[in-house]
Amino acid sequence: MAIKLKNLLTEFLPAPLGIDSISPRFSWQYESQDFGVSQASYHISVRKGDTIVWDSGTVLSDESSGIIYDGEALKPCTRYDWDVTAVTKSGEALHAGSHFETGLMDDGSHDIWEGAEWIGAQENTLASRAKGIFRITAELRTGKSGKGSVIFGANDPRLLDYTKNDYLISGENYIQYELDTTSSPATVNIYRVGYAPGDTAEKPFASFEAKAFEGGDPIITSENASDFHTITIDVTGNSAYTYIDGILADSEIKTMRRPPMGGGEPEEHKMVTARQRNPTAENNTPTYA
């Protein structure tokens, strides 16, 4: 079977629209039934219309993921086409192309937003295929409804394709952390949608009170419920820690048995671990992020 390039991605997305990165990253994959196929070099060219804005030249490298754009400053609301020519170590040259469109490319002046500011996580581009460990931090206030949410991981391509889901299901998918200040102390509800049968947007996968972990004091009470609060989610592959206003609020305690130093009968030891969100098994291969 002939070798070909596939899955050309910009910022880990296929032909994305409205990206705001000033230095987007390019990636591609190989498709071949032969074993031992490896890359010797690549050459990337990025164009705006007929004008070349970046030519990487021939780069002797086997890297094919996260190649950083290093050309002219990108213009807002503009389409760019890019091509890559990759040469295998056997000497075969492969060629493929894709495109992307920039967004408003806010430079911090906020003039394009007429004074409005973005409300959301500090990093709003996640690629679970590239990074299984990441942190999301968002500041929110629940307002009159008493509820506010952080949603991430939506439309993970592995869960949109039933052949890549362990339960052979596909469709809408996301993780939602909902802060509910209608009670005191406040609670956090975690919703997991599209990962396994039984997942639902109406019933939380898990809930916990906004207290310091393991019986600590309430973090959000009736006195400060209307204030802004920070929620931080530390994803560590298949599981996550949750912090409210910088205080650990959600985790799990596991008991392990191991022999003491120097030998002897195994003893029980408790350890704090992240909450497991993988519906299949703790150490299963898919990273449910």
Side-chain angles (χ1 to χ4, degrees), residues 58-94:
T58 298
V59 179
L60 301 178
S61 172
D62 60 359
E63 293 290 335
S64 59
S65 178
I67 310 302
I68 300 174
Y69 173 83
D70 190 24
E72 298 178 10
L74 299 176
K75 303 294 184 182
C77 303
T78 302
R79 170 175 169 140
Y80 291 88
D81 296 282
W82 68 279
D83 302 280
V84 57
T85 299
V87 180
T88 68
K89 290 187 177 179
S90 63
E92 185 169 0
L94 310 171

Side-chain angles (χ1 to χ4, degrees), residues 128 131-134 152 158 195 234-241 274-278 282 284-289:
S128 53
K131 294 182 179 179
I133 300 175
F134 53 86
F152 63 96
R158 298 165 299 177
Y195 286 70
D234 271 346
V235 176
T236 59
N238 293 323
S239 51
Y241 298 96
R275 176 181 290 276
Q276 185 60 233
R277 293 182 298 143
N278 189 332
E282 180 175 333
N284 200 5
T285 301
T287 300
Y288 288 91

Side-chain angles (χ1 to χ4, degrees), residues 153-215:
N155 293 330
D156 187 322
R158 298 165 299 177
L159 301 177
L160 294 174
D161 181 351
Y162 79 94
T163 65
K164 296 181 176 63
N165 184 294
D166 292 328
Y167 295 98
L168 299 180
I169 62 176
S170 62
E172 182 183 34
N173 60 86
Y174 58 87
I175 298 291
Q176 176 182 358
Y177 280 65
E178 176 191 68
L179 176 61
D180 184 348
T181 60
T182 59
S183 61
S184 182
T187 58
V188 176
N189 301 311
I190 306 176
Y191 296 86
R192 187 183 68 195
V193 175
Y195 286 70
D199 287 348
T200 172
E202 287 73 40
K203 183 179 179 180
F205 159 69
S207 298
F208 60 90
E209 292 184 332
K211 293 182 176 181
F213 183 64
E214 259 198 305

Side-chain angles (χ1 to χ4, degrees), residues 107-121:
D107 62 0
S109 66
H110 302 294
D111 291 340
I112 55 177
W113 296 100
E114 297 181 350
E117 295 184 2
W118 175 260
I119 300 175

